[in-house]
Amino acid sequence: MEKHVLDKPFIKVEPELCKGCGICIEACPPRVLEFHSNFNTKGYHYAYYLGDGCTGCGVCFYACPEPEAITVYKKGYEYVGEEVA
């Protein structure tokens, strides 16, 4: 399998693990997270990445009280197989 390297950082939010508290949105220095207009199966508006502008700082990850709800992929992250985005 071919190895890939990310050329820019991004954030992945798991909608079903997000409880819509908004702490990550408030904590994000470049302001690249917002609440989605849809609800998850638990009835929460979940956070989502706007798609551009992430610096990979990880502040959203550390601010989030829900384990595994946010993953920050930094520039230079190496992976094998399909796209991680």
Side-chain angles (χ1 to χ4, degrees), residues 10-15 17-19 21-25 27-28 33 47-49 54 58-73:
F10 74 95
I11 304 162
K12 187 173 184 181
V13 178
E14 295 297 332
L17 297 177
C18 179
K19 291 187 178 169
C21 69
I23 295 172
C24 62
I25 294 170
C28 179
L33 293 170
Y48 77 101
Y49 175 47
C54 177
V59 173
C60 59
F61 172 81
Y62 290 109
C64 180
E66 291 301 315
E68 300 180 21
I70 297 176
T71 304
V72 178
Y73 293 92

PDB file of all heavy atoms in Angstrom, residues 10-15 17-19 21-25 27-28 33 47-49 54 58-73:
ATOM      1  N   PHE A  10      -5.989  19.310   9.671  1.00  0.00           N
ATOM      2  CA  PHE A  10      -7.447  19.421   9.696  1.00  0.00           C
ATOM      3  C   PHE A  10      -7.983  18.742  10.951  1.00  0.00           C
ATOM      4  O   PHE A  10      -7.270  18.029  11.650  1.00  0.00           O
ATOM      5  CB  PHE A  10      -8.087  18.863   8.424  1.00  0.00           C
ATOM      6  CG  PHE A  10      -8.089  17.363   8.336  1.00  0.00           C
ATOM      7  CD1 PHE A  10      -9.186  16.629   8.742  1.00  0.00           C
ATOM      8  CD2 PHE A  10      -6.995  16.691   7.821  1.00  0.00           C
ATOM      9  CE1 PHE A  10      -9.186  15.248   8.660  1.00  0.00           C
ATOM     10  CE2 PHE A  10      -6.991  15.312   7.724  1.00  0.00           C
ATOM     11  CZ  PHE A  10      -8.090  14.593   8.143  1.00  0.00           C
ATOM     12  N   ILE A  11      -9.254  18.983  11.212  1.00  0.00           N
ATOM     13  CA  ILE A  11      -9.937  18.462  12.394  1.00  0.00           C
ATOM     14  C   ILE A  11     -11.053  17.539  11.941  1.00  0.00           C
ATOM     15  O   ILE A  11     -11.779  17.847  10.995  1.00  0.00           O
ATOM     16  CB  ILE A  11     -10.562  19.609  13.221  1.00  0.00           C
ATOM     17  CG1 ILE A  11      -9.500  20.624  13.608  1.00  0.00           C
ATOM     18  CG2 ILE A  11     -11.286  19.070  14.448  1.00  0.00           C
ATOM     19  CD1 ILE A  11     -10.067  21.959  14.029  1.00  0.00           C
ATOM     20  N   LYS A  12     -11.200  16.432  12.642  1.00  0.00           N
ATOM     21  CA  LYS A  12     -12.316  15.531  12.378  1.00  0.00           C
ATOM     22  C   LYS A  12     -13.128  15.409  13.662  1.00  0.00           C
ATOM     23  O   LYS A  12     -12.596  15.053  14.716  1.00  0.00           O
ATOM     24  CB  LYS A  12     -11.797  14.168  11.943  1.00  0.00           C
ATOM     25  CG  LYS A  12     -12.872  13.216  11.500  1.00  0.00           C
ATOM     26  CD  LYS A  12     -12.259  11.969  10.920  1.00  0.00           C
ATOM     27  CE  LYS A  12     -13.330  11.044  10.390  1.00  0.00           C
ATOM     28  NZ  LYS A  12     -12.734   9.820   9.852  1.00  0.00           N
ATOM     29  N   VAL A  13     -14.407  15.746  13.591  1.00  0.00           N
ATOM     30  CA  VAL A  13     -15.317  15.640  14.737  1.00  0.00           C
ATOM     31  C   VAL A  13     -16.247  14.462  14.480  1.00  0.00           C
ATOM     32  O   VAL A  13     -16.829  14.346  13.408  1.00  0.00           O
ATOM     33  CB  VAL A  13     -16.153  16.931  14.922  1.00  0.00           C
ATOM     34  CG1 VAL A  13     -17.127  16.780  16.076  1.00  0.00           C
ATOM     35  CG2 VAL A  13     -15.255  18.134  15.123  1.00  0.00           C
ATOM     36  N   GLU A  14     -16.370  13.584  15.474  1.00  0.00           N
ATOM     37  CA  GLU A  14     -17.303  12.460  15.385  1.00  0.00           C
ATOM     38  C   GLU A  14     -18.666  12.956  15.869  1.00  0.00           C
ATOM     39  O   GLU A  14     -18.861  13.155  17.069  1.00  0.00           O
ATOM     40  CB  GLU A  14     -16.822  11.294  16.248  1.00  0.00           C
ATOM     41  CG  GLU A  14     -15.530  10.684  15.789  1.00  0.00           C
ATOM     42  CD  GLU A  14     -15.620  10.053  14.418  1.00  0.00           C
ATOM     43  OE1 GLU A  14     -16.724   9.596  14.016  1.00  0.00           O
ATOM     44  OE2 GLU A  14     -14.595  10.025  13.725  1.00  0.00           O
ATOM     45  N   PRO A  15     -19.615  13.171  14.950  1.00  0.00           N
ATOM     46  CA  PRO A  15     -20.911  13.746  15.328  1.00  0.00           C
ATOM     47  C   PRO A  15     -21.633  13.005  16.442  1.00  0.00           C
ATOM     48  O   PRO A  15     -22.243  13.626  17.307  1.00  0.00           O
ATOM     49  CB  PRO A  15     -21.717  13.696  14.032  1.00  0.00           C
ATOM     50  CG  PRO A  15     -20.693  13.708  12.954  1.00  0.00           C
ATOM     51  CD  PRO A  15     -19.531  12.939  13.508  1.00  0.00           C
ATOM     52  N   LEU A  17     -20.422  11.426  18.948  1.00  0.00           N
ATOM     53  CA  LEU A  17     -19.769  11.566  20.253  1.00  0.00           C
ATOM     54  C   LEU A  17     -19.853  12.990  20.793  1.00  0.00           C
ATOM     55  O   LEU A  17     -19.616  13.224  21.973  1.00  0.00           O
ATOM     56  CB  LEU A  17     -18.306  11.131  20.162  1.00  0.00           C
ATOM     57  CG  LEU A  17     -18.075   9.669  19.794  1.00  0.00           C
ATOM     58  CD1 LEU A  17     -16.587   9.386  19.672  1.00  0.00           C
ATOM     59  CD2 LEU A  17     -18.719   8.742  20.809  1.00  0.00           C
ATOM     60  N   CYS A  18     -20.192  13.937  19.927  1.00  0.00           N
ATOM     61  CA  CYS A  18     -20.286  15.343  20.328  1.00  0.00           C
ATOM     62  C   CYS A  18     -21.609  15.592  21.044  1.00  0.00           C
ATOM     63  O   CYS A  18     -22.670  15.186  20.572  1.00  0.00           O
ATOM     64  CB  CYS A  18     -20.187  16.235  19.091  1.00  0.00           C
ATOM     65  SG  CYS A  18     -20.313  17.993  19.445  1.00  0.00           S
ATOM     66  N   LYS A  19     -21.537  16.288  22.180  1.00  0.00           N
ATOM     67  CA  LYS A  19     -22.743  16.617  22.944  1.00  0.00           C
ATOM     68  C   LYS A  19     -23.132  18.087  22.821  1.00  0.00           C
ATOM     69  O   LYS A  19     -23.948  18.585  23.577  1.00  0.00           O
ATOM     70  CB  LYS A  19     -22.559  16.233  24.407  1.00  0.00           C
ATOM     71  CG  LYS A  19     -22.512  14.726  24.577  1.00  0.00           C
ATOM     72  CD  LYS A  19     -22.509  14.337  26.019  1.00  0.00           C
ATOM     73  CE  LYS A  19     -22.503  12.827  26.145  1.00  0.00           C
ATOM     74  NZ  LYS A  19     -22.252  12.404  27.520  1.00  0.00           N
ATOM     75  N   CYS A  21     -21.638  20.977  23.450  1.00  0.00           N
ATOM     76  CA  CYS A  21     -21.367  21.935  24.528  1.00  0.00           C
ATOM     77  C   CYS A  21     -20.761  23.237  23.995  1.00  0.00           C
ATOM     78  O   CYS A  21     -20.878  24.280  24.626  1.00  0.00           O
ATOM     79  CB  CYS A  21     -20.455  21.313  25.586  1.00  0.00           C
ATOM     80  SG  CYS A  21     -18.770  21.000  25.051  1.00  0.00           S
ATOM     81  N   GLY A  22     -20.066  23.173  22.869  1.00  0.00           N
ATOM     82  CA  GLY A  22     -19.487  24.367  22.260  1.00  0.00           C
ATOM     83  C   GLY A  22     -18.144  24.792  22.812  1.00  0.00           C
ATOM     84  O   GLY A  22     -17.602  25.815  22.387  1.00  0.00           O
ATOM     85  N   ILE A  23     -17.592  24.033  23.743  1.00  0.00           N
ATOM     86  CA  ILE A  23     -16.305  24.416  24.327  1.00  0.00           C
ATOM     87  C   ILE A  23     -15.212  24.443  23.262  1.00  0.00           C
ATOM     88  O   ILE A  23     -14.389  25.350  23.235  1.00  0.00           O
ATOM     89  CB  ILE A  23     -15.931  23.480  25.492  1.00  0.00           C
ATOM     90  CG1 ILE A  23     -16.933  23.655  26.631  1.00  0.00           C
ATOM     91  CG2 ILE A  23     -14.516  23.759  25.982  1.00  0.00           C
ATOM     92  CD1 ILE A  23     -16.777  22.650  27.758  1.00  0.00           C
ATOM     93  N   CYS A  24     -15.204  23.467  22.370  1.00  0.00           N
ATOM     94  CA  CYS A  24     -14.189  23.434  21.310  1.00  0.00           C
ATOM     95  C   CYS A  24     -14.322  24.639  20.378  1.00  0.00           C
ATOM     96  O   CYS A  24     -13.321  25.208  19.946  1.00  0.00           O
ATOM     97  CB  CYS A  24     -14.279  22.135  20.513  1.00  0.00           C
ATOM     98  SG  CYS A  24     -15.842  21.893  19.639  1.00  0.00           S
ATOM     99  N   ILE A  25     -15.550  25.020  20.099  1.00  0.00           N
ATOM    100  CA  ILE A  25     -15.791  26.167  19.208  1.00  0.00           C
ATOM    101  C   ILE A  25     -15.237  27.445  19.838  1.00  0.00           C
ATOM    102  O   ILE A  25     -14.578  28.234  19.173  1.00  0.00           O
ATOM    103  CB  ILE A  25     -17.303  26.295  18.902  1.00  0.00           C
ATOM    104  CG1 ILE A  25     -17.767  25.079  18.091  1.00  0.00           C
ATOM    105  CG2 ILE A  25     -17.604  27.597  18.170  1.00  0.00           C
ATOM    106  CD1 ILE A  25     -19.272  24.980  17.927  1.00  0.00           C
ATOM    107  N   ALA A  27     -12.920  27.621  22.144  1.00  0.00           N
ATOM    108  CA  ALA A  27     -11.483  27.501  22.394  1.00  0.00           C
ATOM    109  C   ALA A  27     -10.639  27.609  21.135  1.00  0.00           C
ATOM    110  O   ALA A  27      -9.452  27.914  21.223  1.00  0.00           O
ATOM    111  CB  ALA A  27     -11.194  26.170  23.084  1.00  0.00           C
ATOM    112  N   CYS A  28     -11.196  27.388  19.979  1.00  0.00           N
ATOM    113  CA  CYS A  28     -10.448  27.334  18.716  1.00  0.00           C
ATOM    114  C   CYS A  28      -9.870  28.701  18.335  1.00  0.00           C
ATOM    115  O   CYS A  28     -10.626  29.616  18.004  1.00  0.00           O
ATOM    116  CB  CYS A  28     -11.355  26.826  17.613  1.00  0.00           C
ATOM    117  SG  CYS A  28     -10.560  26.739  16.003  1.00  0.00           S
ATOM    118  N   LEU A  33     -14.297  26.040  13.711  1.00  0.00           N
ATOM    119  CA  LEU A  33     -15.345  25.102  14.124  1.00  0.00           C
ATOM    120  C   LEU A  33     -16.646  25.865  14.325  1.00  0.00           C
ATOM    121  O   LEU A  33     -16.642  26.988  14.812  1.00  0.00           O
ATOM    122  CB  LEU A  33     -14.967  24.399  15.430  1.00  0.00           C
ATOM    123  CG  LEU A  33     -13.788  23.449  15.392  1.00  0.00           C
ATOM    124  CD1 LEU A  33     -13.407  23.033  16.812  1.00  0.00           C
ATOM    125  CD2 LEU A  33     -14.096  22.234  14.553  1.00  0.00           C
ATOM    126  N   ALA A  47     -20.532  19.902  16.682  1.00  0.00           N
ATOM    127  CA  ALA A  47     -19.511  20.762  16.089  1.00  0.00           C
ATOM    128  C   ALA A  47     -19.007  20.131  14.795  1.00  0.00           C
ATOM    129  O   ALA A  47     -19.035  18.907  14.638  1.00  0.00           O
ATOM    130  CB  ALA A  47     -18.354  20.954  17.061  1.00  0.00           C
ATOM    131  N   TYR A  48     -18.556  20.965  13.870  1.00  0.00           N
ATOM    132  CA  TYR A  48     -17.943  20.452  12.650  1.00  0.00           C
ATOM    133  C   TYR A  48     -16.873  21.424  12.175  1.00  0.00           C
ATOM    134  O   TYR A  48     -16.904  22.614  12.498  1.00  0.00           O
ATOM    135  CB  TYR A  48     -18.979  20.180  11.556  1.00  0.00           C
ATOM    136  CG  TYR A  48     -19.476  21.416  10.842  1.00  0.00           C
ATOM    137  CD1 TYR A  48     -18.975  21.760   9.589  1.00  0.00           C
ATOM    138  CD2 TYR A  48     -20.434  22.230  11.420  1.00  0.00           C
ATOM    139  CE1 TYR A  48     -19.430  22.904   8.935  1.00  0.00           C
ATOM    140  CE2 TYR A  48     -20.886  23.370  10.775  1.00  0.00           C
ATOM    141  CZ  TYR A  48     -20.381  23.690   9.529  1.00  0.00           C
ATOM    142  OH  TYR A  48     -20.816  24.824   8.887  1.00  0.00           O
ATOM    143  N   TYR A  49     -15.933  20.897  11.412  1.00  0.00           N
ATOM    144  CA  TYR A  49     -14.823  21.669  10.860  1.00  0.00           C
ATOM    145  C   TYR A  49     -15.284  22.348   9.576  1.00  0.00           C
ATOM    146  O   TYR A  49     -15.879  21.715   8.714  1.00  0.00           O
ATOM    147  CB  TYR A  49     -13.647  20.727  10.600  1.00  0.00           C
ATOM    148  CG  TYR A  49     -12.465  21.347   9.927  1.00  0.00           C
ATOM    149  CD1 TYR A  49     -11.936  22.553  10.350  1.00  0.00           C
ATOM    150  CD2 TYR A  49     -11.847  20.707   8.872  1.00  0.00           C
ATOM    151  CE1 TYR A  49     -10.831  23.111   9.741  1.00  0.00           C
ATOM    152  CE2 TYR A  49     -10.731  21.246   8.254  1.00  0.00           C
ATOM    153  CZ  TYR A  49     -10.233  22.444   8.688  1.00  0.00           C
ATOM    154  OH  TYR A  49      -9.133  22.997   8.076  1.00  0.00           O
ATOM    155  N   CYS A  54      -7.385  25.327   9.630  1.00  0.00           N
ATOM    156  CA  CYS A  54      -6.878  24.686  10.848  1.00  0.00           C
ATOM    157  C   CYS A  54      -5.356  24.827  10.900  1.00  0.00           C
ATOM    158  O   CYS A  54      -4.670  24.627   9.905  1.00  0.00           O
ATOM    159  CB  CYS A  54      -7.255  23.205  10.857  1.00  0.00           C
ATOM    160  SG  CYS A  54      -6.618  22.296  12.276  1.00  0.00           S
ATOM    161  N   GLY A  58      -4.388  21.918  18.263  1.00  0.00           N
ATOM    162  CA  GLY A  58      -4.920  20.935  19.197  1.00  0.00           C
ATOM    163  C   GLY A  58      -5.695  21.491  20.371  1.00  0.00           C
ATOM    164  O   GLY A  58      -6.116  20.735  21.248  1.00  0.00           O
ATOM    165  N   VAL A  59      -5.906  22.804  20.426  1.00  0.00           N
ATOM    166  CA  VAL A  59      -6.630  23.400  21.551  1.00  0.00           C
ATOM    167  C   VAL A  59      -8.046  22.825  21.648  1.00  0.00           C
ATOM    168  O   VAL A  59      -8.522  22.521  22.741  1.00  0.00           O
ATOM    169  CB  VAL A  59      -6.650  24.942  21.452  1.00  0.00           C
ATOM    170  CG1 VAL A  59      -7.549  25.544  22.514  1.00  0.00           C
ATOM    171  CG2 VAL A  59      -5.247  25.490  21.572  1.00  0.00           C
ATOM    172  N   CYS A  60      -8.709  22.616  20.526  1.00  0.00           N
ATOM    173  CA  CYS A  60     -10.062  22.051  20.534  1.00  0.00           C
ATOM    174  C   CYS A  60     -10.061  20.651  21.146  1.00  0.00           C
ATOM    175  O   CYS A  60     -10.936  20.306  21.939  1.00  0.00           O
ATOM    176  CB  CYS A  60     -10.641  22.016  19.127  1.00  0.00           C
ATOM    177  SG  CYS A  60      -9.677  21.041  17.942  1.00  0.00           S
ATOM    178  N   PHE A  61      -9.065  19.859  20.799  1.00  0.00           N
ATOM    179  CA  PHE A  61      -8.937  18.502  21.320  1.00  0.00           C
ATOM    180  C   PHE A  61      -8.811  18.514  22.836  1.00  0.00           C
ATOM    181  O   PHE A  61      -9.480  17.760  23.537  1.00  0.00           O
ATOM    182  CB  PHE A  61      -7.728  17.818  20.683  1.00  0.00           C
ATOM    183  CG  PHE A  61      -7.392  16.486  21.291  1.00  0.00           C
ATOM    184  CD1 PHE A  61      -8.078  15.351  20.912  1.00  0.00           C
ATOM    185  CD2 PHE A  61      -6.399  16.383  22.248  1.00  0.00           C
ATOM    186  CE1 PHE A  61      -7.769  14.121  21.480  1.00  0.00           C
ATOM    187  CE2 PHE A  61      -6.087  15.157  22.815  1.00  0.00           C
ATOM    188  CZ  PHE A  61      -6.770  14.022  22.436  1.00  0.00           C
ATOM    189  N   TYR A  62      -7.936  19.354  23.359  1.00  0.00           N
ATOM    190  CA  TYR A  62      -7.708  19.404  24.805  1.00  0.00           C
ATOM    191  C   TYR A  62      -8.875  20.048  25.556  1.00  0.00           C
ATOM    192  O   TYR A  62      -9.107  19.738  26.720  1.00  0.00           O
ATOM    193  CB  TYR A  62      -6.403  20.133  25.114  1.00  0.00           C
ATOM    194  CG  TYR A  62      -5.211  19.310  24.688  1.00  0.00           C
ATOM    195  CD1 TYR A  62      -4.445  19.684  23.592  1.00  0.00           C
ATOM    196  CD2 TYR A  62      -4.870  18.136  25.357  1.00  0.00           C
ATOM    197  CE1 TYR A  62      -3.362  18.909  23.183  1.00  0.00           C
ATOM    198  CE2 TYR A  62      -3.800  17.366  24.952  1.00  0.00           C
ATOM    199  CZ  TYR A  62      -3.052  17.750  23.871  1.00  0.00           C
ATOM    200  OH  TYR A  62      -2.002  16.982  23.465  1.00  0.00           O
ATOM    201  N   ALA A  63      -9.620  20.918  24.898  1.00  0.00           N
ATOM    202  CA  ALA A  63     -10.761  21.571  25.545  1.00  0.00           C
ATOM    203  C   ALA A  63     -11.991  20.662  25.607  1.00  0.00           C
ATOM    204  O   ALA A  63     -12.818  20.796  26.510  1.00  0.00           O
ATOM    205  CB  ALA A  63     -11.116  22.859  24.808  1.00  0.00           C
ATOM    206  N   CYS A  64     -12.104  19.748  24.681  1.00  0.00           N
ATOM    207  CA  CYS A  64     -13.292  18.887  24.575  1.00  0.00           C
ATOM    208  C   CYS A  64     -13.379  17.907  25.739  1.00  0.00           C
ATOM    209  O   CYS A  64     -12.439  17.154  26.002  1.00  0.00           O
ATOM    210  CB  CYS A  64     -13.259  18.116  23.255  1.00  0.00           C
ATOM    211  SG  CYS A  64     -14.686  17.030  23.036  1.00  0.00           S
ATOM    212  N   PRO A  65     -14.525  17.877  26.432  1.00  0.00           N
ATOM    213  CA  PRO A  65     -14.683  16.949  27.553  1.00  0.00           C
ATOM    214  C   PRO A  65     -15.052  15.523  27.133  1.00  0.00           C
ATOM    215  O   PRO A  65     -15.092  14.629  27.965  1.00  0.00           O
ATOM    216  CB  PRO A  65     -15.813  17.575  28.368  1.00  0.00           C
ATOM    217  CG  PRO A  65     -16.628  18.308  27.366  1.00  0.00           C
ATOM    218  CD  PRO A  65     -15.641  18.813  26.330  1.00  0.00           C
ATOM    219  N   GLU A  66     -15.328  15.302  25.858  1.00  0.00           N
ATOM    220  CA  GLU A  66     -15.738  13.985  25.379  1.00  0.00           C
ATOM    221  C   GLU A  66     -14.567  13.243  24.728  1.00  0.00           C
ATOM    222  O   GLU A  66     -14.092  13.642  23.664  1.00  0.00           O
ATOM    223  CB  GLU A  66     -16.878  14.105  24.360  1.00  0.00           C
ATOM    224  CG  GLU A  66     -18.172  14.573  24.962  1.00  0.00           C
ATOM    225  CD  GLU A  66     -18.662  13.652  26.066  1.00  0.00           C
ATOM    226  OE1 GLU A  66     -18.634  12.424  25.907  1.00  0.00           O
ATOM    227  OE2 GLU A  66     -19.062  14.183  27.114  1.00  0.00           O
ATOM    228  N   PRO A  67     -14.106  12.162  25.347  1.00  0.00           N
ATOM    229  CA  PRO A  67     -12.997  11.398  24.766  1.00  0.00           C
ATOM    230  C   PRO A  67     -13.328  10.916  23.350  1.00  0.00           C
ATOM    231  O   PRO A  67     -14.429  10.445  23.096  1.00  0.00           O
ATOM    232  CB  PRO A  67     -12.852  10.201  25.707  1.00  0.00           C
ATOM    233  CG  PRO A  67     -13.531  10.599  26.959  1.00  0.00           C
ATOM    234  CD  PRO A  67     -14.604  11.577  26.578  1.00  0.00           C
ATOM    235  N   GLU A  68     -12.401  11.089  22.460  1.00  0.00           N
ATOM    236  CA  GLU A  68     -12.480  10.623  21.076  1.00  0.00           C
ATOM    237  C   GLU A  68     -13.468  11.379  20.199  1.00  0.00           C
ATOM    238  O   GLU A  68     -13.706  10.988  19.071  1.00  0.00           O
ATOM    239  CB  GLU A  68     -12.768   9.125  21.031  1.00  0.00           C
ATOM    240  CG  GLU A  68     -11.705   8.288  21.719  1.00  0.00           C
ATOM    241  CD  GLU A  68     -11.994   6.805  21.670  1.00  0.00           C
ATOM    242  OE1 GLU A  68     -12.774   6.370  20.808  1.00  0.00           O
ATOM    243  OE2 GLU A  68     -11.444   6.087  22.501  1.00  0.00           O
ATOM    244  N   ALA A  69     -14.052  12.471  20.679  1.00  0.00           N
ATOM    245  CA  ALA A  69     -14.984  13.232  19.851  1.00  0.00           C
ATOM    246  C   ALA A  69     -14.256  14.054  18.795  1.00  0.00           C
ATOM    247  O   ALA A  69     -14.787  14.282  17.712  1.00  0.00           O
ATOM    248  CB  ALA A  69     -15.856  14.137  20.709  1.00  0.00           C
ATOM    249  N   ILE A  70     -13.046  14.501  19.100  1.00  0.00           N
ATOM    250  CA  ILE A  70     -12.266  15.320  18.168  1.00  0.00           C
ATOM    251  C   ILE A  70     -10.902  14.689  17.945  1.00  0.00           C
ATOM    252  O   ILE A  70     -10.233  14.293  18.894  1.00  0.00           O
ATOM    253  CB  ILE A  70     -12.073  16.751  18.703  1.00  0.00           C
ATOM    254  CG1 ILE A  70     -13.419  17.461  18.834  1.00  0.00           C
ATOM    255  CG2 ILE A  70     -11.138  17.554  17.798  1.00  0.00           C
ATOM    256  CD1 ILE A  70     -13.327  18.842  19.436  1.00  0.00           C
ATOM    257  N   THR A  71     -10.514  14.631  16.678  1.00  0.00           N
ATOM    258  CA  THR A  71      -9.169  14.200  16.312  1.00  0.00           C
ATOM    259  C   THR A  71      -8.541  15.310  15.491  1.00  0.00           C
ATOM    260  O   THR A  71      -9.172  15.830  14.566  1.00  0.00           O
ATOM    261  CB  THR A  71      -9.187  12.905  15.483  1.00  0.00           C
ATOM    262  OG1 THR A  71      -9.891  11.896  16.211  1.00  0.00           O
ATOM    263  CG2 THR A  71      -7.777  12.428  15.179  1.00  0.00           C
ATOM    264  N   VAL A  72      -7.326  15.686  15.845  1.00  0.00           N
ATOM    265  CA  VAL A  72      -6.594  16.704  15.102  1.00  0.00           C
ATOM    266  C   VAL A  72      -5.491  16.007  14.320  1.00  0.00           C
ATOM    267  O   VAL A  72      -4.662  15.305  14.894  1.00  0.00           O
ATOM    268  CB  VAL A  72      -5.985  17.767  16.043  1.00  0.00           C
ATOM    269  CG1 VAL A  72      -5.182  18.790  15.256  1.00  0.00           C
ATOM    270  CG2 VAL A  72      -7.077  18.453  16.851  1.00  0.00           C
ATOM    271  N   TYR A  73      -5.520  16.176  13.005  1.00  0.00           N
ATOM    272  CA  TYR A  73      -4.482  15.621  12.136  1.00  0.00           C
ATOM    273  C   TYR A  73      -3.540  16.754  11.764  1.00  0.00           C
ATOM    274  O   TYR A  73      -3.955  17.731  11.146  1.00  0.00           O
ATOM    275  CB  TYR A  73      -5.101  15.011  10.882  1.00  0.00           C
ATOM    276  CG  TYR A  73      -5.941  13.797  11.182  1.00  0.00           C
ATOM    277  CD1 TYR A  73      -7.306  13.908  11.411  1.00  0.00           C
ATOM    278  CD2 TYR A  73      -5.359  12.540  11.243  1.00  0.00           C
ATOM    279  CE1 TYR A  73      -8.071  12.786  11.692  1.00  0.00           C
ATOM    280  CE2 TYR A  73      -6.118  11.408  11.519  1.00  0.00           C
ATOM    281  CZ  TYR A  73      -7.474  11.552  11.742  1.00  0.00           C
ATOM    282  OH  TYR A  73      -8.229  10.449  12.025  1.00  0.00           O
TER     283      TYR A  73
END
